[in-house]
Amino acid sequence: MDVQQLHIGDVVLQSGETLHDAWLSYATWGKLNEQGDNCILFPTYYTGTHLSNARIIGEQRALDPEKWFIVVPNLIGNGLSISPSNTLERYQGGGFPKVTVYDNVACQKLLLDKLGVSTLKLVLGWSMGAVQAWHWAVLYPDMVQNLLPVCGATRCWPYNQLFLKGVRAALEMDPTFAGGYYVEPPAKGLRGFGRVYMPWAYSAEFFREQRFKEIGFATQDDLLEDWELDHLGWDANNLLAKLWAWEQADISAHEKFGGDLALALSQVTAKTIVMPCDHDQYFTLAENTIEASLTRDAELRPIYSSAGHCAGSPGRFAKESAYIEAAIKELLG
């Protein structure tokens, strides 16, 4: 694994704002061939980093660095790429510009150009990574040969938006948050954020079946506490910057498509396997079915699992991960 930064400079965002002195942190595995066509792009998810995606990268796996050049760009706002937490001198408190999924993908395109990538053999991602993958296939169809969105969507559908408003409120209601201008971490708000978020990520069946024991937790409250502690480790403004990008995500909102999802998805030429989980509570099977029906050469291949949204989390559940890796191998031929 090779971790680097690409310094981009000033970026005019989809909103018209300027993100000054921007950079992407990214990791690569393997080597790019002379033709520049053995690249796999694997964007990170909401609370993920390149280390999270690394759980399913390795020799003899579907994502094998001996065969492929694998690029994992960190999402803007995750604390490694440009984020509210590492630009305090320029953007105080809640003043960080509004960065969309489209803006992330545009910066990633600059990265791949710099690396010499001509063709993407595969773009894949889980959750918010899958949202980025859809954007890639729509915006750069001549470049993307295969597409695998896992537990994601082309847009943030209405019910998903309501979920995000709830977790945001849990954080912002902490008086210490102070509208983003906090002087110490808003610990109660961060704990509340994780506490509200956790049950949505799984399913009612998951807890009835006590599947939390598969991932090392004796009780459901132990899992809840783990989510609280995990979110205590995040900067609040970083979480909200990425949350805004998630909530506003909509590939059809690009000026070329005028809100027409069918028109946007008609651009996709990649062979596509769409992999929602039947128990996902915010990137739903029903909405993925709509999206797949609007995409040529797309197969809807659900993950039937009580793990819900987390069924697609890289390496978290063995059976579900094996099912996803089989789809990766199929697309890579």
Side-chain angles (χ1 to χ4, degrees):
M1 179 177 62
D2 187 13
V3 182
Q4 301 182 58
Q5 284 188 353
L6 173 70
H7 291 270
I8 300 171
D10 293 351
V11 177
V12 178
L13 302 172
Q14 193 174 16
S15 66
E17 293 182 90
T18 298
L19 179 63
H20 296 283
D21 299 325
W23 73 88
L24 287 183
S25 172
Y26 66 96
T28 64
W29 288 256
K31 294 182 179 180
L32 186 66
N33 63 18
E34 291 184 4
Q35 296 77 29
D37 64 0
N38 68 327
C39 184
I40 295 171
L41 184 68
F42 190 10
T44 57
Y45 55 89
Y46 178 65
T47 52
T49 69
H50 60 276
L51 295 175
S52 310
N53 285 5
R55 292 194 294 256
I56 61 168
I57 298 171
E59 292 184 26
Q60 306 303 314
R61 304 201 67 160
L63 299 178
D64 188 343
E66 292 297 311
K67 299 179 180 179
W68 308 105
F69 178 58
I70 304 160
V71 180
V72 179
N74 283 287
L75 192 66
I76 291 174
N78 81 345
L80 297 177
S81 290
I82 187 170
S83 306
S85 65
N86 54 36
T87 56
L88 289 177
E89 291 185 6
R90 183 182 288 276
Y91 299 117
Q92 290 295 319
F96 193 76
K98 301 297 188 185
V99 178
T100 64
V101 172
Y102 168 81
D103 296 322
N104 273 275
V105 169
C107 290
Q108 291 166 18
K109 177 61 165 62
L110 296 175
L111 168 62
L112 295 189
D113 289 346
K114 179 74 172 180
L115 293 173
V117 174
S118 64
T119 303
L120 289 167
K121 183 68 175 178
L122 172 66
V123 183
L124 77 154
W126 171 59
S127 190
M128 206 168 169
V131 180
Q132 294 168 75
W134 273 114
H135 277 61
W136 262 98
V138 169
L139 296 172
Y140 305 103
D142 293 340
M143 196 171 177
V144 180
Q145 293 184 336
N146 296 284
L147 172 66
L148 182 63
V150 179
C151 298
T154 64
R155 56 168 45 156
C156 186
W157 291 82
Y159 193 56
N160 194 345
Q161 292 174 351
L162 293 173
F163 154 67
L164 296 177
K165 291 180 190 299
V167 293
R168 180 193 296 113
L171 175 50
E172 292 181 339
M173 288 172 64
D174 184 342
T176 306
F177 178 69
Y181 292 86
Y182 43 88
V183 294
E184 61 184 55
K188 290 182 179 179
L190 289 166
R191 279 187 172 272
F193 188 100
R195 180 173 284 267
V196 173
Y197 201 132
M198 189 278 281
W200 279 78
Y202 300 97
S203 74
E205 289 84 349
F206 178 86
F207 293 102
R208 284 201 305 270
E209 297 166 0
Q210 298 189 0
R211 288 196 65 191
F212 45 80
K213 293 181 179 179
E214 292 179 31
I215 50 176
F217 297 96
T219 69
Q220 64 185 34
D221 285 340
D222 290 339
L223 178 59
L224 189 64
E225 177 71 11
D226 182 74
W227 276 66
E228 289 186 24
L229 294 175
D230 180 69
H231 284 83
L232 276 175
W234 283 90
D235 177 81
N237 281 329
N238 286 1
L239 287 174
L240 294 181
K242 295 180 296 179
L243 198 78
W244 188 91
W246 177 351
E247 185 178 348
Q248 300 302 314
D250 184 352
I251 187 53
S252 72
H254 188 277
E255 59 185 8
K256 293 192 294 186
F257 309 123
D260 187 335
L261 183 61
L263 177 60
L265 291 178
S266 73
Q267 309 303 303
V268 179
T269 59
K271 179 176 176 58
T272 302
I273 299 177
V274 182
M275 298 189 78
C277 178
D278 66 325
H279 281 70
D280 196 326
Q281 298 190 80
Y282 37 82
F283 292 114
T284 69
L285 173 58
E287 288 154 348
N288 272 245
T289 302
I290 295 170
E291 294 165 337
S293 73
L294 297 173
T295 306
R296 80 186 80 171
D297 201 15
E299 175 193 347
L300 184 71
R301 190 180 296 182
I303 306 166
Y304 293 102
S305 170
S306 62
H309 183 64
C310 286
S313 177
R316 188 170 303 185
F317 294 96
K319 182 179 178 182
E320 291 83 346
S321 293
Y323 188 57
I324 294 164
E325 288 205 54
I328 296 172
K329 289 180 179 178
E330 181 179 330
L331 288 172
L332 292 174

